[in-house]
Amino acid sequence: MNDPSVKSYRYLRIGMVGAVGLLAMSIGLERLGVDCWQTSISGYYYTPVRAIFVGALMAIGLSLVVVKGRTEVEDALLNVAGMLAPVVAVVPTTEVVTCWSVPPAQFPVDATEFATVFEAAIRNNMGALLITAAVGLVVAAVLGQRTMGSARAAVRELQPGSRWGLAAAVVLVVVTTAALLWWPGFPTHAHDIAAGLMFVCLAAAVWFNGREGAKAQESTYPTTYRTIALVMVAPAVLLLPFFNGFDHRVFVVEAIEIASFATFWILQTRQFWTREVAETDHLPHFDHP
């Protein structure tokens, strides 16, 4: 197939897997210079991995939003996860251990206060993200109004899953903006909240994809997808509450969840690699004015 839109769609999906591989490679190179691991993947923000960590999460977040899900529910979950990924990137974790090839110039937490340089970066980066997200929602509304005659008519044309996804995006932007402006604990808690919600959305997207595939009586993919979803959830349920003495439990949980979702993404890409755009209708269509 030589359709440029299909090629772009495929390359975008492959590129997201490449971003995950890039992050893994950067962490691996950092590990060669020390004899220990950070207690979480997020902890590598304070090592030479920082630029790759932030860049990879930004790229993954953009891909999750841009790529259309196979179902409306999956698409909504991927969109929300994609909006949360940049928050995980620009709001650093407060858990830092002494495991780095080059010590950071400044620690994120000094006693009970978040370091000034990090708090300033958080407010700048989050402000830029929220303004961009708000502008994106306005642009989507304008385009919908242009296509359907009114924003209300455009919303009515959406499937229920898309409406819920749009509503969730609006609520997420409003709540995050309010938290950034008025919640003192935002710099120290937003990372963990965003990361947890992001992984929940990804696991749910994998599960619903498997459930819809089972309804369509597809081959082995639905069972595999539901198994992957369970693998994503099980470590968090088992390790985080009950293994407090295991310092690297967060790292293990994050690694399993990222690897599991990447496996799902690769399998789904393979599953629909040869499908025609007209058959799946999951690529965007543009009507000329």
Side-chain angles (χ1 to χ4, degrees), residues 9 67-72 272 277 279-285:
Y9 179 69
V67 171
K68 182 73 173 175
R70 310 306 302 186
T71 67
E72 297 300 328
F272 295 104
V277 177
E279 292 177 355
T280 57
D281 196 30
H282 288 125
L283 293 180
H285 298 279

Side-chain angles (χ1 to χ4, degrees), residues 185-228:
F186 185 92
T188 54
H189 293 87
H191 177 91
D192 292 339
I193 294 173
L197 291 175
M198 181 183 72
F199 282 124
V200 167
C201 288
L202 293 178
V206 177
W207 176 265
F208 279 108
N209 196 280
R211 191 185 71 170
E212 293 301 318
K215 290 180 180 179
Q217 297 182 338
E218 294 175 351
S219 58
T220 60
Y221 285 102
T223 301
T224 303
Y225 293 158
R226 284 179 289 185
T227 301
I228 291 174

Side-chain angles (χ1 to χ4, degrees), residues 18-287:
V20 173
L22 177 65
L23 177 58
M25 185 63 68
S26 185
I27 292 174
L29 290 174
E30 168 67 9
R31 179 63 175 79
L32 291 176
V34 294
D35 59 357
C36 57
W37 298 89
Q38 288 283 345
T39 55
S40 69
I41 292 177
S42 298
Y44 282 94
Y45 178 93
Y46 301 108
T47 72
V49 177
R50 180 187 298 184
I52 295 297
F53 175 80
V54 174
L57 278 173
M58 288 292 193
I60 290 170
L62 177 63
S63 298
L64 289 172
V65 171
V66 171
V67 171
K68 182 73 173 175
R70 310 306 302 186
T71 67
E72 297 300 328
V73 173
E74 181 193 359
D75 188 53
L77 289 168
L78 293 182
N79 286 344
V80 173
M83 295 179 69
L84 290 167
V87 180
V88 179
V90 302
V91 182
T93 179
T94 57
E95 287 196 24
V96 185
V97 297
T98 56
C99 178
W100 41 63
S101 58
V102 179
Q106 185 174 9
F107 289 94
V109 178
D110 180 13
T112 58
E113 297 273 335
F114 210 86
T116 303
V117 63
F118 288 103
E119 184 167 357
I122 289 170
R123 297 197 176 279
N124 175 282
N125 296 170
M126 284 302 306
L129 285 172
L130 289 168
I131 292 171
T132 302
V135 171
L137 291 173
V138 171
V139 170
V142 171
L143 291 176
Q145 182 175 10
R146 181 183 178 186
T147 302
M148 302 302 301
S150 69
R152 182 175 298 180
V155 171
R156 284 199 302 266
E157 288 296 316
L158 293 174
Q159 296 294 323
S162 295
R163 283 200 294 269
W164 281 108
L166 179 61
V170 173
V171 169
L172 182 61
V173 170
V174 172
V175 171
T176 305
T177 301
L180 179 65
L181 293 175
W182 295 298
W183 181 36
F186 185 92
T188 54
H189 293 87
H191 177 91
D192 292 339
I193 294 173
L197 291 175
M198 181 183 72
F199 282 124
V200 167
C201 288
L202 293 178
V206 177
W207 176 265
F208 279 108
N209 196 280
R211 191 185 71 170
E212 293 301 318
K215 290 180 180 179
Q217 297 182 338
E218 294 175 351
S219 58
T220 60
Y221 285 102
T223 301
T224 303
Y225 293 158
R226 284 179 289 185
T227 301
I228 291 174
L230 293 176
V231 170
M232 293 179 69
V233 172
V237 174
L238 297 176
L239 285 178
L240 296 183
F242 304 114
F243 287 80
N244 292 330
F246 179 34
D247 292 338
H248 291 80
R249 66 188 186 280
V250 175
F251 182 96
V252 172
V253 169
E254 290 176 334
I256 292 174
E257 291 180 341
I258 292 172
S260 298
F261 186 78
T263 300
F264 157 75
W265 199 255
I266 292 169
L267 290 175
Q268 190 189 49
T269 301
R270 177 185 177 186
Q271 179 185 5
F272 295 104
W273 186 264
T274 58
R275 296 286 182 89
E276 296 288 344
V277 177
E279 292 177 355
T280 57
D281 196 30
H282 288 125
L283 293 180
H285 298 279
F286 301 97
D287 295 324

